[in-house]
Amino acid sequence: MTTVFAFTERWWLPAPPERVRDVLVDLEHYPDWWPQVVAVASLGPDDARVLCRSTLPYTLDLTLHAVSRELPLLEVALGGHLDGWVRWRLEPSNGGTAMSLEQQVTVHGPVAPLARVVAPLARWNHRRMMAGGRAGLRAHLARPAEQEQ
């Protein structure tokens, strides 16, 4: 039986939606601001291989395919150890951006047979990963744009 994981997050970010979008679609630089993204390799203009490692001693090997890069909705399809999608909705809010994240995935790879048993641990690990992403993105966006990259 396949275990489906669904996650939602809502963040406020200190930059306009266009700037947030520019950072989010620039996968190559994720390791600069998201500590749990350990490596990114371009596989073409719309595709990348991304290695993620949160608190648990396990590295997720993912492929991402850009579905939408236009505001207000960014979307990527996921493959590799996870199969599914991630959507980021960006809306202007209080001088910055309200960002809603939705993610739905199934697990593949070595841990797939254990996904149902380790689900609480996997959800905790995901929360840690997202906390690192949120903090890193907020700090990155707080810098002047000319200091990026």
Side-chain angles (χ1 to χ4, degrees):
M1 178 174 225
T2 303
T3 302
V4 176
F5 290 90
F7 302 101
T8 59
E9 299 263 338
R10 186 153 173 87
W11 304 348
W12 182 85
L13 299 165
E18 296 79 11
R19 182 149 174 247
V20 174
R21 182 224 23 234
D22 292 347
V23 172
L24 291 176
V25 300
D26 184 12
L27 290 175
E28 177 185 352
H29 289 97
Y30 272 40
D32 296 343
W33 57 266
W34 197 331
Q36 293 81 6
V37 177
V38 297
V40 176
S42 175
L43 301 175
D46 293 325
D47 301 283
R49 181 176 180 200
V50 178
L51 301 179
C52 302
R53 186 178 182 117
S54 189
T55 306
L56 294 177
Y58 180 74
T59 301
L60 288 173
D61 188 348
L62 306 172
T63 56
L64 280 64
H65 173 74
V67 174
S68 173
R69 294 181 180 157
E70 297 303 318
L71 292 172
L73 183 68
L74 311 178
E75 182 176 352
V76 295
L78 296 174
H81 287 163
L82 302 177
D83 185 40
W85 49 264
V86 180
R87 295 180 184 130
W88 311 82
R89 180 167 295 281
L90 308 174
E91 302 285 348
S93 174
N94 298 319
T97 299
M99 184 177 76
S100 300
L101 166 108
E102 295 179 282
Q103 180 178 3
Q104 185 170 310
V105 297
T106 56
V107 180
H108 298 277
V111 298
L114 302 173
R116 183 174 297 278
V117 174
V118 299
L121 205 52
R123 285 185 179 89
W124 171 81
N125 201 52
H126 184 269
R127 284 192 303 275
R128 300 305 317 136
M129 168 117 185
M130 298 310 291
R134 181 179 57 244
L137 183 55
R138 288 190 72 163
H140 184 78
L141 291 168
R143 295 191 304 238
E146 61 272 5
Q147 288 183 6
E148 293 177 11
Q149 307 177 29

